[in-house]
Amino acid sequence: MSLECGCVEVQFGKNSDIDEWMKLVTEISWNFPGLETKEKIEEHRETVLRFISKEQALCVKDGAKIIGVLLFSREHNMICCLGVSPRCRRRGIASGLLVKALDNLDRTKDITVSTFREEDEKGLAPRAFYKKYGFVEDEPMEEFGYPSQKFILHP
């Protein structure tokens, strides 16, 4: 898939990508509850490696640098984590990642994602993004001790 940020494509992550992957995660960790400390980021590294081993980790590269990532779960039919480098946002990278993830999930069942609540200023862009793809608000919840909201994409 060709995107607007140069000639990049969505691909499955590989173990050899982990260092570049984690550079991006560290860069955007301020926007992700549950990644507040070095220990939590190190735990996330292990999570990413598990997702990579199951081909449930997608990334977009600009040369060798990873500029967008997405983790998804086939078992739970959900989008787990989506992040794009701030300098590459609004160029179709998140859309490319989401479309590829949706192609790898069961579209005959509900697909879920957790994002910020409506009153949270961090939620403006992600909520609009998921709504653009047909996700609808479901129940409020809490993840990593942070108020969040479940969104569902119905079949």
Side-chain angles (χ1 to χ4, degrees):
M1 175 178 292
S2 186
L3 302 173
E4 293 174 31
C5 191
C7 187
V8 294
E9 61 183 54
V10 177
Q11 55 192 271
F12 284 100
K14 301 184 218 79
N15 285 343
S16 59
D17 294 325
I18 192 64
D19 290 337
E20 284 298 321
W21 189 297
M22 294 310 298
K23 283 180 189 174
L24 175 59
V25 167
T26 301
E27 176 187 359
I28 61 178
S29 64
W30 61 272
N31 203 33
F32 287 87
L35 294 177
E36 296 86 0
T37 65
K38 284 188 182 244
E39 292 77 24
K40 295 291 185 188
I41 289 176
E42 194 54 40
E43 285 175 25
H44 187 70
R45 178 187 185 95
E46 296 307 311
T47 299
V48 172
L49 287 168
R50 277 196 313 277
F51 276 74
I52 286 173
S53 73
K54 295 188 275 188
E55 290 197 332
Q56 295 179 146
L58 300 171
C59 63
V60 172
K61 297 178 181 179
D62 182 9
K65 192 173 191 81
I66 291 182
I67 55 174
V69 294
L70 185 147
L71 301 177
F72 66 95
S73 169
R74 288 185 188 96
E75 179 183 355
H76 299 288
N77 217 42
M78 72 184 293
I79 306 299
C80 303
C81 178
L82 169 61
V84 175
S85 172
R87 65 183 165 64
C88 291
R89 290 184 180 157
R90 304 196 63 76
R91 298 183 186 173
I93 294 168
S95 292
L97 288 162
L98 183 62
V99 167
K100 179 106 173 178
L102 293 175
D103 287 346
N104 280 272
L105 293 170
D106 186 348
R107 297 296 294 266
T108 67
K109 298 178 183 170
D110 284 349
I111 297 172
T112 61
V113 65
S114 170
T115 191
F116 299 100
R117 291 188 187 172
E118 186 172 21
E119 63 275 7
D120 190 330
E121 67 180 24
K122 289 182 178 183
L124 293 174
R127 291 172 63 87
F129 174 74
Y130 290 119
K131 285 179 179 182
K132 179 174 112 176
Y133 284 91
F135 284 83
V136 294
E137 296 174 24
D138 194 52
E139 65 204 37
M141 51 192 279
E142 199 171 285
E143 278 190 319
F144 306 107
Y146 195 90
S148 59
Q149 184 160 20
K150 184 181 197 178
F151 270 52
I152 297 177
L153 179 63
H154 295 293

